[in-house]
């Protein structure tokens, strides 16, 4: 076997040890086995393909639909001097050609692509020259029509396997029900079934569903009573700002995050939260991808999630350090009515979807049979005004068309400006001598941005302007001149929403979106939202048991710490008994810490089962604490 995976993990990725199940997955892939890895959120999926790929020779193809995650992971790898590149619809054709050239030259270890990219003529041409070691399929549940985020382009992934007949496929997902697990392996043409799964159980995470008319007041109580960083998830952007301002007005540290903010603001706020300069962040589901913050003490869902899969994934960002944490879902009767209404609005009729697709083509004057990989600035409101569409219906239709692989719409396509030198160092030196007015600018770029002679690198015009004591618009003009003189390739920053045609524009009747397909997808989506409503409406079943059973883990024990478990325990002890027993425990632990056996022995006059239940509730309510030796003590306030 090649280099030791544990050495690779430490040397290249900076981790001392594998998390549970990671090493088994790495070993399976290194033995050439097709592998489906089921790891809950925070289980470290990327390690499972990064380590074996660094053990082997060649490039690892990573297939993911999430452009933001692609860019995030590439940046992390490059920061560790591991050559990686992403190819997505937010790039120019020249950038894409250059990226593929680097892969065929053997200069890249990780190539991140969307599933749509695999069907392009360019990829077919490049594939013959690629030495591939692993094909990693992230968000693998997208390949199954039974998955909560089914995307037809994922069905094409298996088509590239004949290019690389000996290369193992590693499929990864954090959320897959049993039917989806089976479907993933079939659709990816696994040579034999092979599933490695870590239990989705999170014994330190207390799931709480709170029915509240005053949702703002409940959120404030949570932020005040639970110490440590928190995430508050909401459905819409406007609410992120309103809730953050409400918390700040009540002396709770908070900021807000959504995909409509510019990239610099998003990065600044994410960084401030990671460093705990801001304690809480109120966000849409655009927040969280690629974030590994172990000490998040609570995640609050202020609105109903669309699916239990999405809820489990987002709630699972709390308590990754194994310490007691809370996942709280606040709801009221209006939320259930809104969820059903939003569901209907999110599924425009099939004919309307075709009309909107046709209108997008007309709006950008893209002829049928053309337009593939072209990217446009897109203003949804202007588009809707032009064609008299309701914005929510148009937005929903565009998202459905995106899932079908026909277009890509992304609010996060606010890419930095990029620069690539078109000439070699000697030619650039001669140019500097002959054009002294550009000398300082070229020197700053060469010193500040490594790799600028071989690939496009992000540049920041305001930073360059500060270094040269010039205005930002002066730097932009100089870069544009250098571009016209063919000294550099300069791609200015794109702002706002971008829409890309990921395949040639089709006639609206040919988009392959039959009424049968439409209604089957809508029926599946309706079933998922009803599962969410059943989850929040139940007041008896253990929350953890319900979630684990949903993901195929039968007969899990009650967690003992969710809201329904605590209510059950309390119902078995009267209020007077609880007060009396709690007082006895407090007096005992006020003298010295003591383990459970010691407490039971001293307080032998109290029935053991009731004593243990009260101690558990005291721990859940953070009245008492335990150390590594299992000794209980009064919590220091």
């Amino acid at each position: 076997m090649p280099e030791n995976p544990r050495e690779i993990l430490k040397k290249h990725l900076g981790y001392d040890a594998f998390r549970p199940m990671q090493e088994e997955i790495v070993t399976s892939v290194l033995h050439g086995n097709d592998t489906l890895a089921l790891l809950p959120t925070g289980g470290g999926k990327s390690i499972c393909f990064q380590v074996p790929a660094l053990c082997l020779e060649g490039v690892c193809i990573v297939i993911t639909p999430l452009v933001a995650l692609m860019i995030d992971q590439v940046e992390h790898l490059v920061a560790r001097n591991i050559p990686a590149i992403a190819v997505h619809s937010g790039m120019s054709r020249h950038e894409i050609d250059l990226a593929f050239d680097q892969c065929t030259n053997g200069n890249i270890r990780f190539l991140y692509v969307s599933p749509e990219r695999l069907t392009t003529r360019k990829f077919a041409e490049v594939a013959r020259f690629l030495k591939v070691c692993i094909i990693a399929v992230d968000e693998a549940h997208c390949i199954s029509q039974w998955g909560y985020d089914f995307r037809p382009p994922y069905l094409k992934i298996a088509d590239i396997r004949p290019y690389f007949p000996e290369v193992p496929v590693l499929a990864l997902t954090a959320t897959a029900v049993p039917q989806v697990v089976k479907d993933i392996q079939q659709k990816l043409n696994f040579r034999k079934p092979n599933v490695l799964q870590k239990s989705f159980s999170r014994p330190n995470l207390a799931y709480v569903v709170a029915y509240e008319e005053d949702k703002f007041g409940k959120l404030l109580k949570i932020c005040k009573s639970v110490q440590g960083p928190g995430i508050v998830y909401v459905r819409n952007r406007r609410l992120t700002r309103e809730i953050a301002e409400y918390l700040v007005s009540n002396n709770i540290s908070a900021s807000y995050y959504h995909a409509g903010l510019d990239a610099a603001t998003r990065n600044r706020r994410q960084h401030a939260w990671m460093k705990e300069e801001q304690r809480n962040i109120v966000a849409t589901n655009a927040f969280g991808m690629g974030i590994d913050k172990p000490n998040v003490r609570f995640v609050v869902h202020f609105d109903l999630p669309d699916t239990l899969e999405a809820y489990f994934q987002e709630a699972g960002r709390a308590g990754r350090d194994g310490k007691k944490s809370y996942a709280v879902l606040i709801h009221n009767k209006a939320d259930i009515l809104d969820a059903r209404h939003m569901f209907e609005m999110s599924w425009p009729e099939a004919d309307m979807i075709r009309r909107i697709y046709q209108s997008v083509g007309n709006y950008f004057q893209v002829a049928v049979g053309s337009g593939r990989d072209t990217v446009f600035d897109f203003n949804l409101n202007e588009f809707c005004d032009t064609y008299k569409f309701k914005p929510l219906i148009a937005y929903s239709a565009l998202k459905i068309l995106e899932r079908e692989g026909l277009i890509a719409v992304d609010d996060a396509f606010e890419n930095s400006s990029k620069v690539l030198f078109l000439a070699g160092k000697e030619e650039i030196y001669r140019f500097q001598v002959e054009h002294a007015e550009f000398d300082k600018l070229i020197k700053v770029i060469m010193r500040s941005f490594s790799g600028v002679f071989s690939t496009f690198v992000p540049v920041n015009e305001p930073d360059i302007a500060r270094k040269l004591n010039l205005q930002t618009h002066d730097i932009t003009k100089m870069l544009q001149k250098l571009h016209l003189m063919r000294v550099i390739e300069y791609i200015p920053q794109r702002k706002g929403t971008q829409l890309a045609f990921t395949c040639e524009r089709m006639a609206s009747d040919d988009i392959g979106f039959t009424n049968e397909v439409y209604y089957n997808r809508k029926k599946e989506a309706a079933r998922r939202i009803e599962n969410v409503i059943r989850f929040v409406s139940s007041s008896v079943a253990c929350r953890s048991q319900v979630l684990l059973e949903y993901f195929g883990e039968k007969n899990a024990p009650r967690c003992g710490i969710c809201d329904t478990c605590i209510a059950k325990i309390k119902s078995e002890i009267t209020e007077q008994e609880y007060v009396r027993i709690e007082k006895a425990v407090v007096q005992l632990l006020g003298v010295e810490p003591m383990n459970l056996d010691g407490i039971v022995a001293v307080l032998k006059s109290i029935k053991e089962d009731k004593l243990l239940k009260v101690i558990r509730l005291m721990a859940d309510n953070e009245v008492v604490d335990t150390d590594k030796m299992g000794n209980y003590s009064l919590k220091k306030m």
Side-chain angles (χ1 to χ4, degrees):
M1 192 175 286
E3 241 185 297
N4 186 303
R6 293 188 184 186
E7 292 175 4
I8 290 284
L9 182 72
K10 174 71 174 174
K11 177 181 172 184
H12 292 287
L13 300 170
Y15 295 102
D16 292 321
F18 285 106
R19 293 180 185 176
M21 196 54 69
Q22 284 180 333
E23 193 164 17
E24 293 90 331
I25 295 165
V26 168
T27 301
S28 177
V29 175
L30 286 174
H31 281 114
N33 299 321
D34 293 335
T35 306
L36 171 55
L38 294 176
L39 292 173
T41 301
K45 291 187 295 174
S46 59
I47 293 295
C48 297
F49 60 80
Q50 288 172 356
V51 169
L54 291 170
C55 289
L56 302 169
E57 292 184 3
V59 62
C60 173
I61 298 176
V62 185
I63 301 161
T64 175
L66 305 169
V67 175
L69 189 58
M70 278 188 206
I71 295 169
D72 183 66
Q73 290 201 6
V74 166
E75 287 176 353
H76 276 89
L77 288 167
V78 170
R80 291 189 170 277
N81 296 315
I82 299 170
I85 205 158
V87 175
H88 56 78
S89 52
M91 296 166 65
S92 69
R93 192 158 292 176
H94 186 53
E95 285 179 277
I96 292 169
D97 289 344
L98 185 65
F100 280 136
D101 287 346
Q102 288 183 288
C103 293
T104 54
N105 292 337
N107 297 330
I108 296 296
R109 300 302 305 275
F110 293 91
L111 168 63
Y112 285 76
V113 294
S114 66
E116 294 86 358
R117 187 64 49 186
L118 304 178
T119 64
T120 62
R121 247 191 329 269
K122 180 68 178 178
F123 183 84
E125 293 167 5
V126 168
R128 294 180 294 129
F129 303 101
L130 285 178
K131 182 177 182 180
V132 176
C133 59
I134 299 168
I135 300 169
V137 183
D138 200 11
E139 309 294 338
H141 56 272
C142 294
I143 203 170
S144 172
Q145 64 179 323
W146 311 111
Y148 76 96
D149 195 16
F150 173 59
R151 294 173 185 242
Y154 263 68
L155 296 173
K156 300 288 187 182
I157 294 173
D159 294 349
I160 72 168
R161 295 206 68 173
Y163 296 139
F164 319 109
E166 304 301 319
V167 173
V169 168
L170 171 60
L172 305 120
T173 180
T175 48
V177 297
Q179 193 174 14
V180 172
V181 169
K182 183 179 178 182
D183 207 23
I184 289 170
Q185 296 173 87
Q186 291 175 344
K187 296 290 198 311
L188 288 173
N189 292 345
F190 270 37
R191 288 168 283 209
K192 62 179 181 180
N194 182 28
V195 181
L196 293 175
Q197 179 172 1
K198 182 180 182 294
S199 171
F200 287 169
S201 176
R202 295 290 305 279
N204 65 307
L205 186 57
Y207 296 100
V208 177
V209 176
Y211 184 91
E212 288 284 344
E213 291 302 329
D214 180 12
K215 292 167 71 174
F216 278 78
K218 179 64 175 177
L219 175 61
L220 188 59
K221 286 178 184 175
I222 294 167
C223 293
K224 286 183 174 179
S225 60
V226 181
Q227 300 303 306
I231 305 172
V232 182
Y233 280 112
V234 299
R235 271 187 183 275
N236 67 63
R237 297 174 181 181
R238 175 184 53 78
L239 209 50
T240 62
R241 179 175 51 78
E242 287 181 9
I243 292 176
E245 289 174 353
Y246 169 77
L247 292 176
V248 170
S249 70
N250 283 278
N251 300 315
I252 300 290
S253 172
S255 64
Y256 63 95
Y257 182 108
H258 58 71
L261 298 170
D262 63 80
T265 301
R266 289 197 308 272
N267 291 337
R268 187 170 62 250
R269 291 183 181 179
Q270 179 176 310
H271 182 78
W273 179 77
M274 291 289 287
K275 294 290 183 183
E276 296 183 24
E277 294 163 7
Q278 290 282 358
R279 184 184 150 213
N280 302 300
I281 193 149
V282 187
T284 60
N285 60 9
F287 181 78
M289 292 182 299
I291 292 209
D292 187 13
K293 184 169 175 59
N295 68 329
V296 178
R297 292 280 70 90
F298 66 88
V299 170
V300 172
H301 280 80
F302 202 80
D303 298 300
L304 293 189
D306 292 326
T307 66
L308 286 181
E309 287 93 338
Y311 171 69
F312 184 80
Q313 206 164 25
E314 290 159 4
R317 293 186 174 121
R320 292 183 183 177
D321 57 5
K323 295 181 181 178
K324 180 69 181 291
S325 303
Y326 298 87
V328 185
L329 198 165
I330 309 172
H331 78 106
N332 55 37
K333 194 175 290 184
D335 290 319
I336 292 175
L337 295 173
D338 287 346
R340 288 185 170 132
H341 174 69
M342 284 294 293
F343 167 77
E344 289 299 331
M345 294 294 284
S346 297
W347 284 88
E349 292 297 322
D351 287 343
M352 174 60 77
I353 295 170
R354 293 190 188 95
R355 271 186 59 202
I356 288 171
Y357 177 72
Q358 185 175 12
S359 299
V360 169
N362 295 341
Y363 187 64
F364 292 116
Q365 298 182 343
V366 174
V368 172
S370 65
R372 181 172 198 146
D373 294 333
T374 50
V375 182
F376 301 94
D377 293 328
F378 182 65
N379 185 304
L380 178 64
N381 290 328
E382 287 181 7
F383 171 74
C384 290
D385 287 344
T386 301
Y387 293 98
K388 309 305 178 194
F389 293 129
K390 292 180 179 178
L392 180 56
I393 288 176
Y395 177 81
S396 299
L398 292 171
K399 284 299 177 185
I400 291 171
L401 291 165
E402 183 175 39
R403 286 199 297 271
E404 293 299 309
L406 300 173
I407 61 172
V409 184
D410 204 319
D411 295 316
F413 270 145
E414 183 171 334
N415 299 323
S416 301
S417 299
K418 295 171 186 171
V419 164
L420 165 71
F421 276 106
L422 299 175
K425 290 185 179 179
E426 288 186 12
E427 291 177 74
I428 293 295
Y429 175 73
R430 285 197 295 273
F431 179 85
Q432 287 173 268
V433 172
E434 294 170 8
H435 300 83
E437 67 274 24
F438 294 106
D439 178 57
K440 289 182 180 178
L441 173 60
I442 291 172
K443 282 178 179 173
V444 165
I445 294 173
M446 290 169 64
R447 288 170 186 163
S448 304
F449 307 104
S450 59
V452 75
F453 285 93
S454 58
T455 188
F456 280 94
V457 297
V459 296
N460 186 304
E461 292 91 337
D463 280 353
I464 296 172
R466 278 193 292 273
K467 288 175 182 176
L468 295 177
N469 200 25
L470 293 171
Q471 297 296 314
T472 299
H473 65 83
D474 295 326
I475 298 300
T476 301
K477 284 181 181 177
M478 293 171 76
L479 291 170
Q480 288 169 340
K481 285 182 182 177
L482 288 171
H483 176 85
L484 292 171
M485 296 166 82
R486 306 307 298 150
V487 176
I488 64 170
E489 183 88 17
Y490 172 56
I491 301 174
Q493 181 185 44
R494 289 186 180 134
K495 293 187 177 181
T497 301
Q498 304 285 305
L499 186 148
F501 281 82
T502 48
C503 61
E504 287 82 3
R505 180 191 171 185
M506 299 179 186
S508 58
D509 291 337
D510 296 336
I511 65 173
F513 197 63
T514 66
N515 287 339
E516 183 182 2
V517 168
Y518 170 84
Y519 288 115
N520 283 341
R521 303 256 175 86
K522 185 175 179 180
K523 186 178 176 182
E524 274 297 304
R527 184 181 62 79
R528 291 192 188 94
I529 195 65
E530 289 305 319
N531 280 334
V532 172
I533 292 169
R534 275 195 295 273
F535 177 74
V536 302
S537 300
S538 170
S539 59
V540 177
C542 166
R543 305 291 179 194
S544 182
Q545 278 184 330
V546 171
L547 290 169
L548 292 175
E549 187 168 344
Y550 185 77
F551 291 112
E553 294 188 36
K554 309 285 186 184
N555 304 316
R558 290 185 76 97
C559 70
I561 61 172
C562 71
D563 60 305
T564 57
C565 283
I566 287 176
K568 185 175 187 296
I569 293 169
K570 283 185 174 178
S571 70
E572 296 166 358
I573 303 172
T574 67
E575 187 67 26
Q576 292 84 351
E577 283 179 310
Y578 183 88
V579 171
R580 178 173 60 81
I581 296 171
E582 182 183 51
K583 184 177 180 181
V585 173
V586 167
Q587 285 178 342
L588 184 62
L589 296 182
V591 177
E592 61 176 339
M594 192 174 289
N595 64 25
L596 213 51
D597 290 338
I599 297 171
V600 171
V602 174
L603 300 178
K604 57 188 176 184
S605 62
I606 301 172
K607 285 188 177 180
E608 185 175 332
D609 63 330
K610 291 189 176 183
L611 176 58
L612 294 178
K613 285 173 181 174
V614 171
I615 292 171
R616 187 191 301 170
L617 285 169
M618 291 172 71
D620 290 336
N621 293 322
E622 299 189 343
V623 178
V624 297
D625 217 345
T626 54
D627 61 21
K628 292 179 181 177
M629 304 299 292
N631 291 318
Y632 283 81
S633 60
L634 295 179
K635 181 100 172 176
K636 294 177 181 177
M637 302 305 287

